[in-house]
Amino acid sequence: MSRQPVPLPAEHIPPGTPAWRTADVLRWLDAVPARWAHPLFAFLALAVSVAWEVAAAPVPACTSAEPCGSDWPGLAVAVVLVLSLYWVWRQPRLAVGGLAVTVVALAVEEGVTAFARPSALAYLLATGFAVAGLVHRLTVAGRQRALALEAAGAAAQPLPDAARTFHRGRMSFVLAAVFLAVAGFGVHQALGVADAYDKRAATASHLSGEVTGVDEGDGLLTVTAEGRTYRIEAAFPEDFPVDTRVDLVVDGDGAVLVAEPYDAFGWEVLVLAGSVTGLAFLVNGVAGRLGARRLRRGPLPVLHVLVREGEEDGRTWVFAADDTEGRRPVLWFHSLYADDAGEEDEDDLETADDDGDFGLDKVTQVLRADAPAPPLREAVLYGAPYTGAEVAFVARDDEDDPEVAVECSVTSVKSATTPWNTGGPQARGRQHPRRPVEEVAAGLPPSAEPRVWRAHGFSRAVGLGLLVVQGGGVWAALEDGPSWHWLLLAVTLPWLVTSVATATTWRITADRDGLWVTTAWRVRRVPWEAVLSVTYRDDGILIGRADDDAVRVSPTGWAWLERRLGREPGAQRVADELRALLLRPDLRPAGEAASDRQGMPVGPPLVALTVLWGAAVMLLL
C-alpha cells in the first residue's frame, strides 16, 4: 500500500492556487532542449578546436625589435575563453558574450584572414555551434516559463515573509575575493619581474653576439660576444639557430637575450587560474543574489505541487500535484530552509516519543537500509519554474511536524528530463532511485550455489583507462630523470594502482554465512550478522559493518556515463541485490563459497608490473 503525501494545512495554501497537474507537466517536460544542444557537445567541440588552434597557430618569433614579454591583453582573452567554457554549462547568456569576444579578439589580432587557417576556422565553427545551442537552450527556457505561467493562471502571491530575509552568494563572494586577491598578487609579481629587468637593463652593458651552439633539450644558447662566451637560457631556442646575431644585456657574469628579457610565465599562469576561479565564483554569487532579489520583487505565480527529498543527493524533486505515487519527477534543485539557512533548531534534535522511546526502531531501520523512502509532501511552489530559475516552496517536513517550513532554492532549477533521455513517456518517467526490496527479490529466486558479482564492462573500461593514465604518468615522470615529478608520482601512484586493480577485478561473493569482498589488496570476510547496510554511492559499493568501518569497493564503474546511455549502473544493481539478500535471509545461498570463487586481489601483481614498466622506461630513455 502506497503512502499518502504529507498534507499541507489549508491555511498555508493561498486561495486560488492551481494544482500543477500531469497534463500541464507533460507539456512542460516536452519543452526541453534538443539532444544536439546539450552543453557537453558544445564544450567538447570548443575544447578540441581550442587545443588545435593553440598547437597550430603561428607564434611570432621573439626579436630585439619586438621582444617577448607579458601579453596582458592576450591573457585577458584567455581568461574570457576559459570562463566561457565553464559558462557553457552554468551561464548561457554570459557564454554567448564571452565566445563572441574571443572571436572578435582573434579577428582583431590577425585579421579576418586568420580564419583561412583550418584550426581557426574549426574554432569559428565550434563557436557557432555552441552559440546556436546556447540560444536554443535560452529559447526553450522561455517556453517553459510561459507554460508555467499559463498553468498558474492569474494566481499570484507575495513571497512568504521567512524567505524575504534569505540571502544567497555570501560564500561565493568570499571565495571570489580570495582567488581574485591571488590573481592580483600574481599580477604584482609579474610586474615586479618586468621592473627588475628594466632596472637591470638601464645599468647593464648591451652587446651584440653570434649564436655558436643551440641545446634545445635544455633550452640553452651558446653566444660569443666580444671575445667572451655566454651560456644563456632561452624559452624558444629554436628561434635562434647557429650563426644568428642576437643582442644581449650583460650584467657581470650574467646575460639575457634582449629578445627574451624575462620569464614571468609562472606568475601569468597563477593570474589566469586565480582570475578564472575568482570571476566564476563572483558571477555565481551575483547570479544567485539577483535571482533571490527577483523572487522578493513582487507577487509571484504559485502552483500546488508535490515535493520529495532525494535519498542520497539531497536534491528537492518536484512532482505533479496528482502524481501521488511520485513516478514522474518534473524538475529538481537544491534548497535550504529560509529561516536558518538549513541549520538545525535545537527542538529538531529532540526525537523522543511521548513514552520516552527515542525512536531506536527507526534508527535501526535506517542503519539496516530498511527505512522508508522520504515521503512525498504537498507544497506550494512560489515562482515560475523553468530551467535556470530560482524558486521557493512551503511544505511540512513530515506528518509528525505540525509546523510548515519555507525553503528557497540555492541552485537553479533543472528539468528532470535531460536531452540525453527524451524518448516519450517511458523515457520521461525513467529514474534511477533505489528499487524496492520486494521488486529486487522477485528476480532473485533461492539458490543453493553461492552468488557472485564481478566487475562488468564499464568498470573494466574505467580500469583500463586509469591503467593507461598510470603508464603514461610513469613515463612522463621518469623521462627527464630525477625531479619533483617523482614526488607527484609517489603521491598519485598508490591511488592509481588501487583504483585500477579494483575497477578491473572487484568481486563480491555471497554464500550461506556472509560475503567475500575482493578489492585491490585483500579478500575480506563479512558475516551476515555484521552487515548493517549496503548502499551505492559515488561509483562505489559501501557495505556497512557493526564492528568497524564499512567495506568500500570503489571504483565499480562510471555511473554518469552509464545513465547518460540510458542504462542502470551495473554496480547499483549489485547493491540492490545485496540489499535484498540482507533483508530477505530466505534468498541467501545455501552453500559455502569455495576458495576459487572468493576472488583474488591483483594489487600486488600490478605493483610488480608497474615496477617492471618503470625499469623498462628508464632503460629505454
Side-chain angles (χ1 to χ4, degrees):
M1 180 181 297
S2 61
R3 300 172 59 189
Q4 292 299 315
V6 177
L8 181 66
E11 60 269 22
H12 293 283
I13 303 177
T17 299
W20 202 15
R21 299 191 178 278
T22 299
D24 294 325
V25 162
L26 291 179
R27 294 174 60 202
W28 192 93
L29 285 174
D30 284 336
V32 295
R35 298 188 182 190
W36 65 267
H38 193 282
L40 177 62
F41 296 137
F43 178 87
L44 291 177
L46 289 169
V48 171
S49 61
V50 168
W52 186 11
E53 172 65 5
V54 169
V59 179
C62 302
T63 64
S64 298
E66 296 184 3
C68 294
S70 296
D71 181 11
W72 297 114
L75 184 60
V77 173
V79 170
V80 173
L81 175 60
V82 178
L83 278 173
S84 298
L85 292 175
Y86 168 70
W87 286 338
V88 163
W89 293 88
R90 294 292 301 272
Q91 304 289 344
R93 288 182 176 84
L94 292 179
V96 172
L99 292 174
V101 168
T102 60
V103 171
V104 171
L106 181 60
V108 169
E109 181 180 3
E110 299 186 34
V112 294
T113 57
F115 298 109
R117 188 168 60 246
S119 57
L121 179 61
Y123 176 69
L124 180 64
L125 295 176
T127 300
F129 172 73
V131 169
L134 293 167
V135 172
H136 175 72
R137 287 163 55 193
L138 292 172
T139 303
V140 165
R143 192 181 309 150
Q144 287 180 327
R145 183 176 185 275
L147 290 170
L149 291 174
E150 181 181 338
Q157 296 291 330
L159 195 66
D161 293 337
R164 292 185 175 277
T165 58
F166 185 81
H167 296 287
R168 282 193 56 192
R170 293 176 180 174
M171 183 56 67
S172 292
F173 288 135
V174 171
L175 294 174
V178 171
F179 284 104
L180 290 177
V182 170
F185 175 74
V187 171
H188 174 74
Q189 293 297 107
L191 293 177
V193 171
D195 290 341
Y197 167 76
D198 291 337
K199 293 178 180 179
R200 177 184 180 184
T203 58
S205 302
H206 293 257
L207 304 178
S208 178
E210 183 177 278
V211 178
T212 57
V214 179
D215 185 350
E216 294 188 7
D218 293 333
L220 293 175
L221 300 179
T222 302
V223 180
T224 301
E226 296 187 359
R228 293 192 59 181
T229 299
Y230 300 91
R231 296 278 286 177
I232 302 174
E233 293 185 1
F236 304 99
E238 64 276 7
D239 291 342
F240 308 98
V242 175
D243 296 334
T244 300
R245 299 293 299 181
V246 294
D247 296 320
L248 307 178
V249 172
V250 180
D251 182 8
D253 293 331
V256 296
L257 295 171
V258 173
E260 296 183 3
Y262 57 87
D263 181 11
F265 180 75
W267 296 117
E268 291 169 358
V269 171
L270 181 64
V271 172
L272 175 64
S275 299
V276 168
T277 309
L279 289 174
F281 277 118
L282 179 62
V283 169
N284 288 345
V286 171
R289 185 63 57 88
L290 292 178
R293 184 175 298 175
R294 282 194 295 269
L295 284 178
R296 300 192 297 266
R297 187 171 299 168
L300 299 170
V302 289
L303 291 168
H304 188 193
V305 297
L306 299 176
V307 299
R308 171 182 283 162
E309 181 94 5
E311 292 184 70
E312 297 182 356
D313 53 19
R315 296 176 179 178
T316 297
W317 295 88
V318 176
F319 301 81
D322 55 354
D323 184 11
T324 57
E325 298 292 333
R327 296 183 180 276
R328 180 183 288 110
V330 185
L331 54 91
W332 65 269
F333 50 86
H334 289 93
S335 61
L336 289 177
Y337 290 105
D339 55 352
D340 57 4
E343 295 178 357
E344 292 184 67
D345 293 332
E346 292 181 359
D347 294 339
D348 293 336
L349 299 179
E350 298 294 336
T351 58
D353 298 331
D354 293 338
D355 60 358
D357 182 5
F358 285 79
L360 294 179
D361 292 339
K362 186 175 181 179
V363 173
T364 302
Q365 288 180 340
V366 171
L367 290 176
R368 291 188 63 85
D370 197 24
L376 281 170
R377 301 176 288 156
E378 281 190 292
V380 174
L381 192 68
Y382 287 80
Y386 60 91
T387 302
E390 304 283 341
V391 294
F393 69 93
V394 176
R396 291 169 60 194
D397 285 339
D398 54 55
E399 295 178 353
D400 300 327
D401 190 351
E403 301 294 329
V404 299
V406 180
E407 297 187 44
C408 296
S409 61
V410 292
T411 59
S412 58
V413 168
K414 293 180 176 61
S415 171
T417 303
T418 66
W420 295 89
N421 189 21
T422 53
Q426 291 184 347
R428 284 193 295 266
R430 189 183 298 130
Q431 305 176 57
H432 300 278
R434 178 187 297 177
R435 290 189 293 163
V437 172
E438 296 304 323
E439 177 185 333
V440 178
L444 289 174
S447 172
E449 293 297 320
R451 298 183 186 274
V452 178
W453 298 268
R454 55 174 59 87
H456 50 89
F458 276 100
S459 182
R460 293 193 181 99
V462 169
L464 292 176
L466 291 175
L467 183 61
V468 172
V469 173
Q470 174 184 321
V474 171
W475 182 288
L478 301 180
E479 183 178 12
D480 296 328
S483 68
W484 67 271
H485 294 96
W486 287 25
L487 178 61
L488 181 62
L489 184 66
V491 172
T492 59
L493 196 57
W495 176 84
L496 279 171
V497 171
T498 301
S499 298
V500 170
T502 303
T504 53
T505 61
W506 65 266
R507 176 186 294 208
I508 300 176
T509 303
D511 62 12
R512 178 184 61 192
D513 299 320
L515 301 175
W516 294 97
V517 183
T518 303
T519 55
W521 304 104
R522 57 184 294 194
V523 179
R524 302 187 186 187
R525 180 59 165 171
V526 186
W528 285 117
E529 57 269 18
V531 180
L532 291 178
S533 64
V534 181
T535 56
Y536 174 72
R537 185 184 309 154
D538 299 330
D539 291 325
I541 299 173
L542 206 63
I543 301 174
R545 302 201 296 181
D547 55 346
D548 55 8
D549 293 336
V551 176
R552 181 175 179 84
V553 184
S554 177
T556 55
W558 191 3
W560 181 88
L561 180 58
E562 293 177 66
R563 284 171 176 158
R564 293 308 181 276
L565 295 177
R567 302 184 180 184
E568 179 187 21
Q572 181 175 343
R573 177 183 54 80
V574 173
D576 289 342
E577 294 179 358
L578 287 171
R579 190 180 305 110
L581 295 183
L582 171 64
L583 301 176
R584 291 280 303 274
D586 57 298
L587 296 178
R588 297 173 187 171
E592 295 185 5
S595 57
D596 60 339
R597 305 198 67 177
Q598 297 170 10
M600 183 186 72
V602 298
L606 186 58
V607 170
L609 181 63
T610 303
V611 172
L612 292 176
W613 170 246
V617 169
M618 296 187 70
L619 291 174
L620 292 173
L621 295 177

